[in-house]
Amino acid sequence: MNWSKKFRVKPGATVKLNQIDASYTEPYDCGEQSVSELTASNEQISASQYQMYAEHKRSLLICLQGRDASGKDGVINHVFAAMNPQGCNVHSFKVPSHRESEHDFLWRYHQATPRQGYVAIFNRSHYEEVLVVRVHNLVSKKLWTSRYQQINEFERLLHANGTHILKFYLHIDKSEQLARFKRRLEDPNRHWKISESDYTERDHWSAYTNAFEEALMRCSTAHAPWFIIPANHKWFRDLAVSNIVRETLQAMNMQFPAPTVDIEELRKRYHQAL
Amino acid sequence: MNWSKKFRVKPGATVKLNQIDASYTEPYDCGEQSVSELTASNEQISASQYQMYAEHKRSLLICLQGRDASGKDGVINHVFAAMNPQGCNVHSFKVPSHRESEHDFLWRYHQATPRQGYVAIFNRSHYEEVLVVRVHNLVSKKLWTSRYQQINEFERLLHANGTHILKFYLHIDKSEQLARFKRRLEDPNRHWKISESDYTERDHWSAYTNAFEEALMRCSTAHAPWFIIPANHKWFRDLAVSNIVRETLQAMNMQFPAPTVDIEELRKRYHQAL
C-alpha cells in the first residue's frame, strides 16, 4: 500500500471533513496486526534519519495539527520517539512571547525550522495562525485571509532550500473527542492539564471544521502536502503517520558521504598490530 | 546500590584517571543480566520526566564528556532516547559560529540550558572550553585557568534557579579506544565520520588526561556533581548513567500540579449521558 498517496490531499481538491470516516482502518481489522508493522516502519525511519544526518544536506519538517485530544502527543510518543533524539527537535508553540508578537506571524516558526540533516516536529504549527485566530476573531478576516498565500510561499522557500515538509491533520470526530476527555477525567495523572476550555471549545466545532478545511484545501501543495489521518483508532493513526514518514524518507534516497580519509591506509598504519 | 554515590566525584577529591578501572562492572558479570534493569530504569526516567514536565518548575541539564568513541552518542541512543522527545533537547556543540565567538565563552551554552519542565542533554559542553582549547593552546593559560571558577558560578546560577545538573565523564582506556576505531573501519556506514585527527589526537592522550582531571577535581560541586563512568563496557556505561539519572529524578520528588478545574463538576456537566 502507498500510504502517502492514499491519505494525501491532492492540490486543489475539495475537502469535506464530515464525509471522511475518522474510524477508517482498512485493510486492518484490529490493532494487533499492526504492532510489528509499526515497529518495522519506525526502525526504517530511524535508519533513514541516520543517513539524513550523515548526508547533512536535506532536512524534514513535520507539522502536526488536529483538535484537542486528536493524538498529537501520542504520535510523538509512538512514532517520533523512535528517532535518535540527537537529530530530532520537537517544538510546541504556546502563546507568543511579547518579543515574538512584535514580529510577523511566521517569524517564530521560521526560527524553529530544521537545519541540514535534522528533523523538526511542530506540535501545532504556523497553521494555528489561520485556525484559532480565525475562529476566535483574534485578527481581522482580511489579515488571516492573506496568510494562506504567505504560508505557501514560506513553505516553498523552505522546500527550495532542502527542507521536505509533511503536514498531518489528525482526524477524530466529536464523540470520540468527548470519550477521550472522559478518560482524562478518570486518570488522576492527567487532571493537571484539563481545562474548562477543552469543553467550551466544542461549541466552535463547525467553525474549526471550516477553518481546517480551508487550510487543507488552500495549502496542500506538491512541495508541502497535507495528509488527513483517520485518528479515532490510535494504532491506525500511528501506523499511517509512521508509514508516510518512512515512504518520504526512503524516496529522498539519502547517501552516506564519501569518506574523507583513505580507509585502507588508516587500517595499515594504525591497526596492523591488532 | 546507590549509583550516584558510587560514581560521584566528591567535591575537593583528587582524581587520578589512570587508577580508575575503565572495565569495572561490579557486581555484574555480563551484560545480559543488565538488560531488564536498564529497561526498568529507563521507564522510571520516562515517568519522572513526564512529572517534571507537568510540574513545570524545575529542569535537568545533563553534560556528556569523554574522549572520542567513549560512547556519548551511544548513551543518548540507549538511555535518553527513552525520554519523550517533546520534553528533551539534545545539543551538540561544534566549532563556534562567527557570532558565537564574539561573545563570552559561556554565552552559547547558556542559550541551550533547559527551560522549566525540560531536559537538555549537552553532547560535549562548556567543558570543552577547558579541554580541547587547553590541550591545543587555543587560548592562553591565564584565560583557561580563569574559567573553572566562572563555570562553577554559572552552574550555581542555573542550580539556584531550578536546574539540576549532572555531568558524566565516560571513561575508556587507550586500547579500548583503538579497538573501537578499528570497528568503525569495518563498518562502511560509519566511514563518513572517520577523520585522521581521530588518530593524531591520541598523541595528546596524557595532556587530555590532565585536562579532564583538573575539570573533574575543580568543578565537581554539591550542586553540579561530576560522575566518572567506567565505559569500556557499553552495557555497564548505559546502566550506570541511566540509574544515576533515575535516582536524581526520583530524589527531586516531582508533584503533579493540582487540577485547575473541579473534576467532579466537569464529570457531571459533560459526561452524564455517557
Side-chain angles (χ1 to χ4, degrees):
Chain A
M1 174 150 95
N2 182 324
W3 295 79
S4 308
K5 197 171 165 194
K6 188 169 181 73
F7 295 108
R8 189 167 60 94
V9 177
K10 287 203 190 74
T14 300
V15 173
K16 288 276 168 214
L17 288 175
N18 289 340
Q19 293 169 15
I20 298 175
D21 180 9
S23 294
Y24 184 91
T25 64
E26 278 175 38
Y28 299 84
D29 292 329
C30 67
E32 276 167 48
Q33 299 166 263
S34 74
V35 175
S36 61
E37 280 189 48
L38 178 63
T39 305
S41 177
N42 283 351
E43 277 169 12
Q44 291 213 31
I45 288 175
S46 176
S48 294
Q49 184 207 1
Y50 178 68
Q51 284 190 294
M52 188 166 73
Y53 185 81
E55 189 192 77
H56 198 69
K57 282 185 183 162
R58 291 171 288 176
S59 61
L60 180 64
L61 170 60
I62 294 170
C63 299
L64 296 175
Q65 289 287 164
R67 302 174 198 264
D68 195 15
S70 61
K72 300 181 288 295
D73 294 342
V75 165
I76 291 171
N77 240 334
H78 301 136
V79 179
F80 301 121
M83 292 195 182
N84 186 328
Q86 194 150 207
C88 176
N89 295 306
V90 181
H91 301 271
S92 303
F93 299 95
K94 313 283 181 184
V95 178
S97 71
H98 180 67
R99 186 179 177 212
E100 287 172 341
S101 64
E102 290 183 315
H103 289 273
D104 70 84
F105 80 101
L106 289 171
W107 186 79
R108 65 178 183 146
Y109 303 100
H110 205 161
Q111 299 204 16
T113 53
R115 53 180 160 150
Q116 292 171 351
Y118 280 69
V119 181
I121 317 281
F122 285 5
N123 183 356
R124 299 187 188 274
S125 68
H126 45 294
Y127 283 94
E128 290 296 321
E129 313 290 345
V130 291
L131 291 166
V132 63
V133 300
R134 166 177 169 164
V135 170
H136 289 289
N137 298 306
L138 303 181
V139 302
S140 69
K141 179 169 183 180
K142 189 174 168 216
L143 197 57
W144 61 253
T145 304
S146 66
R147 289 180 171 174
Y148 298 100
Q149 190 184 339
Q150 290 162 344
I151 287 175
N152 285 339
E153 288 166 1
F154 169 61
E155 293 176 352
R156 191 156 54 228
L157 168 77
L158 298 179
H159 182 79
N161 287 277
T163 301
H164 287 241
I165 303 172
L166 299 174
K167 302 176 297 197
F168 295 101
Y169 172 69
L170 306 182
H171 180 46
I172 57 171
D173 57 34
K174 203 170 176 182
S175 61
E176 174 64 18
Q177 187 190 55
L178 194 63
R180 292 183 183 188
F181 285 175
K182 184 157 186 253
R183 288 201 288 278
R184 281 188 190 172
L185 287 182
E186 286 156 4
D187 179 357
N189 285 355
R190 296 198 286 165
H191 284 175
W192 62 277
K193 58 175 170 179
I194 295 171
S195 78
E196 180 84 28
S197 70
D198 299 345
Y199 293 91
T200 54
E201 281 294 271
R202 286 168 59 81
D203 298 340
H204 306 283
W205 187 274
S206 351
Y208 274 110
T209 301
N210 293 340
F212 277 121
E213 285 175 349
E214 188 158 357
L216 292 163
M217 288 190 286
R218 296 186 63 173
C219 301
S220 193
T221 56
H223 58 269
W226 269 110
F227 299 88
I228 299 173
I229 306 296
N232 273 4
H233 296 285
K234 296 174 180 181
W235 58 268
F236 188 80
R237 169 201 77 199
D238 294 339
L239 191 64
V241 171
S242 178
N243 274 301
I244 292 168
V245 173
R246 175 187 60 73
E247 287 172 354
T248 302
L249 286 169
Q250 287 181 329
M252 286 168 74
N253 191 24
M254 255 80 69
Q255 305 294 326
F256 284 112
T260 58
V261 291
D262 183 333
I263 299 292
E264 230 7 86
E265 171 67 21
L266 285 181
R267 193 175 279 135
K268 274 188 209 147
R269 199 179 328 150
Y270 295 105
H271 297 284
Q272 239 163 4
L274 287 182
Chain B
M1 174 150 94
N2 183 324
W3 295 79
S4 307
K5 197 171 164 194
K6 189 170 180 73
F7 296 108
R8 189 168 60 94
V9 177
K10 287 201 190 77
T14 300
V15 173
K16 287 278 170 213
L17 288 175
N18 289 340
Q19 292 169 15
I20 297 174
D21 180 8
S23 294
Y24 184 92
T25 65
E26 280 177 36
Y28 298 83
D29 293 328
C30 67
E32 276 167 49
Q33 300 166 262
S34 74
V35 175
S36 61
E37 281 189 48
L38 178 64
T39 304
S41 177
N42 283 352
E43 277 168 12
Q44 291 213 31
I45 288 174
S46 175
S48 294
Q49 184 207 1
Y50 178 69
Q51 284 189 293
M52 188 166 73
Y53 185 82
E55 190 191 75
H56 198 69
K57 284 185 182 162
R58 292 171 289 176
S59 60
L60 181 64
L61 170 61
I62 294 169
C63 299
L64 296 175
Q65 288 287 165
R67 302 174 198 265
D68 195 14
S70 62
K72 299 180 290 295
D73 294 341
V75 165
I76 291 170
N77 241 332
H78 300 136
V79 179
F80 301 120
M83 292 193 182
N84 186 327
Q86 193 149 207
C88 177
N89 295 306
V90 182
H91 302 272
S92 304
F93 298 96
K94 312 284 182 186
V95 179
S97 71
H98 180 66
R99 186 177 176 212
E100 287 171 341
S101 64
E102 290 183 316
H103 289 272
D104 71 83
F105 80 102
L106 289 171
W107 185 80
R108 65 178 183 147
Y109 302 100
H110 205 161
Q111 298 204 17
T113 54
R115 54 180 161 152
Q116 292 171 351
Y118 279 69
V119 181
I121 318 280
F122 285 5
N123 183 356
R124 301 186 188 274
S125 68
H126 45 293
Y127 283 93
E128 290 295 322
E129 312 291 343
V130 291
L131 291 167
V132 63
V133 299
R134 166 178 168 164
V135 170
H136 289 290
N137 300 306
L138 302 182
V139 302
S140 70
K141 180 171 182 180
K142 189 175 169 216
L143 197 57
W144 62 252
T145 304
S146 66
R147 289 181 172 173
Y148 297 102
Q149 190 184 339
Q150 291 163 343
I151 287 175
N152 286 338
E153 288 166 1
F154 169 61
E155 292 176 353
R156 192 155 53 228
L157 168 77
L158 298 180
H159 182 79
N161 287 278
T163 301
H164 288 241
I165 303 171
L166 300 174
K167 302 175 297 197
F168 295 101
Y169 171 69
L170 306 181
H171 181 45
I172 57 169
D173 57 33
K174 203 170 176 181
S175 61
E176 175 64 18
Q177 188 189 54
L178 194 62
R180 291 184 184 188
F181 285 175
K182 184 158 186 253
R183 287 202 288 278
R184 280 188 191 172
L185 287 183
E186 286 155 5
D187 180 357
N189 284 356
R190 297 199 286 167
H191 283 175
W192 62 277
K193 59 174 170 180
I194 295 171
S195 78
E196 180 85 28
S197 71
D198 299 345
Y199 292 92
T200 55
E201 282 294 272
R202 286 168 59 80
D203 299 338
H204 306 283
W205 187 273
S206 348
Y208 273 111
T209 301
N210 294 340
F212 276 122
E213 285 174 348
E214 187 157 358
L216 291 163
M217 289 189 287
R218 296 186 63 173
C219 300
S220 193
T221 58
H223 58 269
W226 269 110
F227 299 88
I228 299 173
I229 306 296
N232 272 4
H233 295 286
K234 296 175 180 180
W235 59 268
F236 187 80
R237 170 201 77 200
D238 293 339
L239 190 64
V241 171
S242 178
N243 275 302
I244 292 168
V245 173
R246 175 187 59 74
E247 288 172 354
T248 302
L249 287 169
Q250 287 180 330
M252 286 168 73
N253 192 23
M254 254 81 67
Q255 306 294 327
F256 285 110
T260 58
V261 291
D262 183 334
I263 299 292
E264 226 12 82
E265 171 67 21
L266 285 181
R267 194 175 280 135
K268 273 186 212 150
R269 199 178 329 149
Y270 295 105
H271 297 285
Q272 240 163 4
L274 286 182

